[in-house]
Amino acid sequence: MSVDVCLKQKGFFKKAISLSDITNGQFAYGTSESWILVPDKISNDMILYDPKHIARGISLVWDEKDSACLRLSLLLPTAREEVDMFYDIIARIAKLWKLKKYEQDGVEQKTSDLADMRENIKIFSNECLRDFLAKHTDGCFFSALHPIYYDEQDLEEMQINFAAFLHHRQSRDLYYARPHIYQKTDGGYLGVYTLTNDVDSILPLEPIVPFHMRDAETNEELEVHEWYLSMYHYEEERFMGQLPYETAVKVLQLEEQERYDAKTRVLYGKSAEEMQSLIDAYGIAMKR
């Protein structure tokens, strides 16, 4: 569920706004690729978030050359702080463009009512969270930096402080491993996660095909049956080798590592020497 806002500037002489006008020096941004954020990457469809309160992320559809329209979307449920961020941005742009009205979920609203609207959305967000968790005891929240998976053991924490639940899992200095999908010569697909020496990483217990990724030929949901963990030497800028992902999970004892969320674990940095030993013992060539 989302709150979708459109701000339209009227009049013949329109005032362009920059990204700094939107963020006001407070908020970070990036572009989401397969639901994992590439920080600081500018595009026409970005994600904004507050580094002090990282939550679901606010979608921004913006083109600096197009001064007529700006679109924002807020995912619900979310943190109260992110609701404030959302309406602070709307109020700031409305002031710059001297707007008395804006469009929310297809309905025209008065900018003078923004304060009341933000409080109503906070209440509605809490209701959404309560209703959603009552119906779904496990699932996923697509969030600012990456998806967050939960199960029954997370329910109490989310109910007590959903904002802290979201922020804690996105504010740590960890690399969230991104799967790369390649098409094989036989038409099938293989997936690869990468582990870099001495980098603390978040890895899934089982490989996950990026959400909404589809086969280019059939338009069916993509199926990947062959997965690898590739190991990269940062200082030497080279790939060292790879293990079948299932093998890597076993030899790295991933299930015994620190729980990040319901589907992923934290693997603290392995040295290049440790990685080479694993490759020597278990490494194989990828089947292209």
Side-chain angles (χ1 to χ4, degrees):
M1 185 176 296
S2 65
V3 179
D4 301 311
V5 162
C6 180
L7 297 162
K8 295 180 180 179
Q9 188 174 191
K10 299 180 180 180
F12 186 75
F13 297 103
K14 294 181 173 63
K15 181 179 180 180
I17 55 171
S18 66
L19 187 56
S20 61
D21 289 327
I22 299 168
T23 65
N24 200 33
Q26 298 174 271
F27 309 131
Y29 58 85
T31 297
S32 183
E33 297 181 358
S34 300
W35 294 96
I36 299 175
L37 194 76
V38 181
D40 303 322
K41 183 176 180 179
I42 296 177
S43 68
N44 290 344
D45 190 351
M46 293 189 294
I47 299 295
L48 307 176
Y49 66 96
D50 183 348
K52 296 179 181 179
H53 304 282
I54 311 175
R56 305 291 303 280
I58 294 170
S59 172
L60 167 68
V61 178
W62 161 81
D63 183 346
E64 191 168 13
K65 297 177 182 178
D66 180 6
S67 56
C69 180
L70 181 146
R71 297 180 183 276
L72 296 162
S73 293
L74 176 73
L75 289 172
L76 297 180
T78 190
R80 293 176 61 85
E81 295 85 355
E82 192 164 72
V83 176
D84 283 330
M85 173 185 168
F86 184 70
Y87 284 99
D88 283 347
I89 293 173
I90 294 170
R92 182 161 54 254
I93 302 307
K95 183 177 181 180
L96 287 171
W97 280 354
K98 296 181 172 57
L99 302 180
K100 294 184 178 181
K101 295 182 180 180
Y102 70 100
E103 185 180 290
Q104 179 169 310
D105 296 328
V107 178
E108 194 172 75
Q109 305 286 349
K110 296 178 181 178
T111 56
S112 58
D113 293 335
L114 279 170
D116 290 337
M117 182 64 76
R118 80 166 68 200
E119 295 308 313
N120 290 338
I121 293 299
K122 287 178 184 178
I123 295 170
F124 184 54
S125 178
N126 288 336
E127 293 173 352
C128 288
L129 178 64
R130 183 182 64 248
D131 293 345
F132 185 82
L133 295 182
K135 297 174 183 176
H136 307 279
T137 55
D138 59 70
C140 174
F141 287 107
F142 293 104
S143 301
L145 304 190
H146 52 70
I148 298 177
Y149 298 92
Y150 73 92
D151 58 22
E152 289 186 357
Q153 74 179 83
D154 300 305
L155 295 179
E156 183 177 359
E157 181 182 356
M158 288 190 288
Q159 290 164 346
I160 292 173
N161 195 332
F162 188 53
F165 173 84
L166 294 172
H167 180 74
H168 173 67
R169 283 159 181 78
Q170 297 181 89
S171 58
R172 299 175 62 185
D173 186 17
L174 300 168
Y175 168 69
Y176 195 96
R178 178 195 308 273
H180 294 274
I181 311 298
Y182 302 94
Q183 188 165 24
K184 302 194 298 180
T185 54
D186 64 5
Y189 293 88
L190 62 84
V192 182
Y193 287 90
T194 299
L195 184 68
T196 300
N197 63 296
D198 301 315
V199 174
D200 300 336
S201 301
I202 302 165
L203 292 170
L205 292 170
E206 295 182 2
I208 302 170
V209 177
F211 187 67
H212 279 335
M213 183 170 280
R214 294 187 173 275
D215 189 304
E217 296 181 0
T218 66
N219 200 37
E220 296 292 329
E221 194 169 320
L222 200 67
E223 293 187 6
V224 181
H225 302 292
E226 196 173 329
W227 289 91
Y228 298 89
L229 180 65
S230 181
M231 299 192 176
Y232 183 76
H233 197 302
Y234 179 78
E235 293 78 12
E236 298 181 3
E237 298 182 343
R238 65 178 178 88
F239 285 96
M240 303 167 64
Q242 53 277 321
L243 281 63
Y245 198 85
E246 186 176 358
T247 300
V249 169
K250 292 178 181 177
V251 299
L252 292 170
Q253 298 181 314
L254 200 58
E255 291 187 2
E256 307 303 318
Q257 305 304 316
E258 178 188 341
R259 184 182 188 271
Y260 186 76
D261 65 19
K263 290 191 176 184
T264 64
R265 298 293 182 267
V266 178
L267 183 68
Y268 289 98
K270 296 291 183 183
S271 68
E273 292 74 20
E274 290 175 300
M275 289 165 55
Q276 188 61 58
S277 295
L278 292 172
I279 292 167
D280 293 341
Y282 305 102
I284 63 169
M286 288 191 293
K287 300 174 184 177
R288 296 285 188 176

